[in-house]
Amino acid sequence: MVVCGDDGLAHRLAAELRGVYREQVTLVVPPAGRRVRQPVVGRARAASAALLDMVNAAVNRTGNGDPVGADRELDATEPTEDVLADAGVERATALALVYDDDETNIRAALTARRLNPRLRLVLRLYNRRLGQHIEELLDQSATLATGDGPGSGTGTGAGSTTVLSDADTAAPALAATALVGTSKVVETDGLLLRAVERNPPRPGEVADPGLCTLALLSATSNDPAGADGSEGSGEHGPQLLPDAAAVEAATGRGTVALEQVSYSGPPLHAGRAGVPAFGELFSRRLRWSLAGLAACVVALAVALMLVTGDHPLHATYVTLLDLFSINEPAHNKDTGRQILQLLSGFVGLLLLPVLLAAVLEALGTFRSASALRKPPRGLGGHVVLLGLGKIGTRVLTRLREMDIPVVCVEADPEARGMATARRLRVPVVLGDVTQEGVLEAAKIHRAHSLLALTSVDTTNLEAVLYARSVRSRLRVVLRLYDDDFATAVYRTLRAAHPGALTRSRSVTHLAAPSFAGAMMGRQILGAIPVERRVLLFAAVEVAGHPQLEGKTVGEAFRAGAWRVLALEVPDGGAPDGGRAQGGAPERARESRLVWELPDTYVLRGSDRVVLAATRRGLAELLGRRAARRGVDV
């Protein structure tokens, strides 16, 4: 495995590949003098080495498998052709390009594909639309160079390409943390699913398993808010993916169940339409003025019809001519007609300022529709989002997709996410969050939670501390790059405010498992921590896996290793339908996941399933080094 990057994600990814999948890794990073956030990268490298030593020590104790081989680290400013060749790309199985710059990753991917058409590529790109085109281009290039059939596009085979974004990978967990107080969330089929820790049922009660039971917690685990920050692991440790007998036999142990995330708070008017509604174009006073003038025109037309005996349409036409002063004077007409003409002219004089006011209000409304909105009066129960960079923009989109009210705070008027905020018509407060009055303008005293997602750790911490001084029980989520700093901040805030929920999150920590799983050849949907262990959720093609193909869902389940959760079918289809002749699936443009599959359903080679697995179980299912039995860290 070859990993190329210039920040902490590269080191975390290397540690994941070494410690979890026990792969030999060549790490290509910039020289020491040009590395970003040198202290953090240094600690990430130390953590990677410590994890490698721990794995080898465990292997030596158990005698199962071989120690992890030696790894290489190359210093290079850019991943040029010579650098990639020196890293052994021609002989590598997979290459991850996780530079912070999209152009650098694309240029290196094109070079690597030419050097090794069968290389599995994993790219870190923020631009999702560009990423789709690049993925198709590189897959097509590999198909033509190798002569193999077209890949499935899921990043499962040799020569395949998977484009991921650390922002997209971390956004669901960050959004769910602000919503339900935990990052134990996986996104699939457009849904947010979370792992909920439940206390042991009381005598006579029946525990709700949700979609399924993922784990049995330690006998001594007593942190119902989640083990996100707790250090207790218990004497027995958690039991991942237990079978029905183990769940029944477990007494006094909490469970982790999978359920869908929902929001029941106050919605915020989306206002997504590009053209405002009629009610938003004009004020209420102006609307009443227009309605009054229209009533006057109707009354004058009816009066003229009664006085002259004209047809209603002709009477209305003559009234409008008098209204706009383009009719002939009625000096030769009777008195009633002359009075009506004078009244129509007077109404016409009143109409001119009303029309002018309508034009000015409409122009002002259209101008404000493209400008930033201010937080409305009386807003409460909302989420205050600090920072509209790469991560903040993705989190904002996720929150608005769930109709959660959001108020953003951004210091840079040209920030990446300002266009998204205008499009979604989300209120934005422009200003430095460290200045007095900025958080007050965002209605922090009535907010439900605070998401501090700027790129500066101290800014996030200062904003959280000030917000806690305004509202001590406010739910806060910090994005902190430095792990040691994040741990210290979490413990201190939790001790100072025991009644409030505090979470500290690292984007690279949330994204690394997904990148590692993609390098191993499967599309990882997410990872959920269970005390000191981790459950992975992956989308897997059944074909080529004897543990799954031809077996029922019940037979394919292996306790403690993997469990089939859902089946992907074409939209409108059923688990037994939607297949063409010869067993090949009909790939519709839209698909959905069928949950709660019956245990008797037989998995076919054309199926694609979503499964939950331990790290060791997924590595075994991948078929690489299946004979080795490492430790599940």
Side-chain angles (χ1 to χ4, degrees):
M1 301 288 178
V2 180
V3 178
C4 303
D6 57 357
D7 59 7
L9 179 58
H11 291 271
R12 286 189 182 277
L13 180 54
E16 190 84 9
L17 293 171
R18 293 162 177 164
V20 177
Y21 300 101
R22 302 180 57 218
E23 294 286 340
Q24 295 186 10
V25 181
T26 298
L27 181 62
V28 180
V29 292
R34 302 190 61 177
R35 285 181 185 149
V36 181
R37 296 180 183 259
Q38 175 68 18
V40 178
V41 172
R43 274 190 285 272
R45 180 192 296 177
S48 173
L51 183 58
L52 179 64
D53 294 340
M54 183 171 61
V55 172
N56 281 331
V59 170
N60 292 332
R61 287 197 306 269
T62 59
N64 297 325
D66 303 324
V68 182
D71 298 287
R72 300 173 58 201
E73 182 171 328
L74 302 179
D75 290 341
T77 304
E78 294 183 359
T80 61
E81 182 174 350
D82 294 337
V83 172
L84 294 176
D86 190 19
V89 167
E90 297 93 339
R91 304 179 305 276
T93 302
L95 166 66
L97 297 166
V98 293
Y99 290 93
D100 192 52
D101 180 52
D102 287 1
E103 183 180 349
T104 301
N105 293 328
I106 293 174
R107 187 187 302 114
L110 296 174
T111 303
R113 178 60 77 215
R114 179 168 49 83
L115 294 176
N116 186 354
R118 296 186 178 276
L119 182 69
R120 185 181 299 123
L121 287 174
V122 178
L123 278 73
R124 172 190 183 184
L125 295 181
Y126 179 80
N127 191 327
R128 288 180 289 187
R129 180 176 299 180
L130 177 61
Q132 293 176 357
H133 294 309
I134 292 296
E135 187 173 336
E136 295 174 0
L137 175 64
L138 292 174
D139 281 344
Q140 183 178 2
S141 175
T143 300
L144 295 176
T146 60
D148 298 337
S152 61
T154 58
T156 60
S160 62
T161 306
T162 303
V163 175
L164 297 175
S165 167
D166 55 339
D168 286 335
T169 305
L174 292 170
T177 305
L179 178 61
V180 295
T182 177
S183 65
K184 299 180 179 181
V185 171
V186 60
E187 181 185 18
T188 178
D189 196 34
L191 302 176
L192 279 180
L193 303 172
R194 66 167 174 170
V196 182
E197 296 188 12
R198 294 174 176 167
N199 295 327
R202 298 177 181 177
E205 291 183 351
V206 178
D208 181 12
L211 295 176
C212 68
T213 300
L214 296 177
L216 296 174
L217 297 176
S218 304
T220 59
S221 178
N222 56 2
D223 185 7
D228 297 347
S230 68
E231 299 295 330
S233 59
E235 200 176 272
H236 304 287
Q239 184 178 351
L240 303 183
L241 301 175
D243 52 20
V247 174
E248 270 186 42
T251 57
R253 299 181 67 177
T255 60
V256 177
L258 188 67
E259 67 177 25
Q260 182 179 348
V261 172
S262 59
Y263 176 72
S264 58
L268 185 66
H269 178 62
R272 298 173 185 268
V275 179
F278 179 80
E280 297 183 4
L281 280 175
F282 308 116
S283 64
R284 176 174 298 182
R285 180 180 300 176
L286 185 58
R287 293 198 302 269
W288 278 110
S289 300
L290 291 173
L293 289 175
C296 290
V297 172
V298 172
L300 290 172
V302 172
L304 182 61
M305 181 184 64
L306 296 176
V307 170
T308 62
D310 288 346
H311 189 273
L313 292 179
H314 184 266
T316 303
Y317 173 71
V318 172
T319 301
L320 291 177
L321 291 179
D322 293 336
L323 186 72
F324 295 112
S325 301
I326 57 177
N327 198 9
E328 294 182 359
H331 55 81
N332 294 326
K333 305 294 182 178
D334 54 15
T335 305
R337 175 70 181 89
Q338 293 175 350
I339 293 175
L340 289 176
Q341 190 175 56
L342 291 175
L343 291 176
S344 298
F346 179 72
V347 173
L349 293 177
L350 297 178
L351 180 62
L352 291 178
V354 174
L355 291 178
L356 179 60
V359 172
L360 294 177
E361 280 200 7
L363 291 176
T365 302
F366 276 108
R367 184 172 60 251
S368 63
S370 60
L372 296 175
R373 300 183 63 194
K374 296 181 179 180
R377 295 180 180 179
L379 179 64
H382 58 287
V383 175
V384 177
L385 175 63
L386 308 184
L388 286 176
K390 292 196 305 182
I391 307 300
T393 304
R394 292 290 192 255
V395 173
L396 172 62
T397 303
R398 291 297 307 152
L399 291 173
R400 291 305 299 126
E401 286 175 355
M402 294 186 289
D403 289 329
I404 298 173
V406 185
V407 174
C408 300
V409 179
E410 175 58 53
D412 183 10
E414 303 297 328
R416 186 191 297 263
M418 297 299 285
T420 302
R422 290 189 182 95
R423 177 174 56 86
L424 298 177
R425 303 197 67 193
V426 174
V428 178
V429 177
L430 284 176
D432 188 353
V433 71
T434 60
Q435 295 178 353
E436 187 176 355
V438 174
L439 282 178
E440 284 81 355
K443 315 291 185 184
I444 192 65
H445 57 286
R446 292 199 297 264
H448 172 269
S449 56
L450 171 67
L451 270 169
L453 303 180
T454 70
S455 58
V456 182
D457 289 359
T458 54
T459 300
N460 294 335
L461 178 59
E462 183 177 353
V464 167
L465 292 177
Y466 180 76
R468 276 285 170 81
S469 67
V470 175
R471 187 176 179 184
S472 60
R473 299 184 65 86
L474 180 70
R475 175 179 293 174
V476 298
V477 181
L478 293 85
R479 174 194 176 190
L480 297 178
Y481 197 92
D482 191 325
D483 284 343
D484 295 341
F485 186 49
T487 302
V489 167
Y490 168 80
R491 290 174 177 173
T492 304
L493 286 177
R494 187 174 183 181
H497 302 276
L501 189 142
T502 304
R503 293 290 181 263
S504 57
R505 296 286 173 256
S506 169
V507 174
T508 57
H509 179 74
L510 294 172
S514 296
F515 281 82
M519 291 188 72
M520 295 303 298
R522 293 298 179 269
Q523 181 64 43
I524 302 297
L525 302 175
I528 289 180
V530 180
E531 296 182 9
R532 291 185 180 273
R533 304 180 72 181
V534 173
L535 272 177
L536 299 177
F537 291 79
V540 177
E541 299 283 350
V542 173
H545 297 286
Q547 305 95 328
L548 304 177
E549 190 172 2
K551 296 186 178 181
T552 64
V553 173
E555 293 171 347
F557 170 54
R558 182 178 297 182
W562 60 75
R563 176 175 183 169
V564 176
L565 299 178
L567 173 70
E568 183 181 285
V569 297
D571 194 15
D576 291 329
R579 291 179 175 81
Q581 297 295 328
E586 290 183 1
R587 293 296 182 187
R589 290 186 178 181
E590 299 293 336
S591 62
R592 63 184 179 91
L593 295 177
V594 177
W595 299 87
E596 299 180 354
L597 287 173
D599 289 341
T600 56
Y601 176 76
V602 179
L603 299 173
R604 307 181 187 182
S606 57
D607 288 335
R608 189 166 184 257
V609 296
V610 174
L611 53 83
T614 62
R615 286 172 165 177
R616 187 173 65 178
L618 184 60
E620 180 180 348
L621 190 63
L622 294 176
R624 293 177 58 84
R625 291 173 171 82
R628 296 184 178 181
R629 299 292 183 181
V631 293
D632 190 7
V633 181

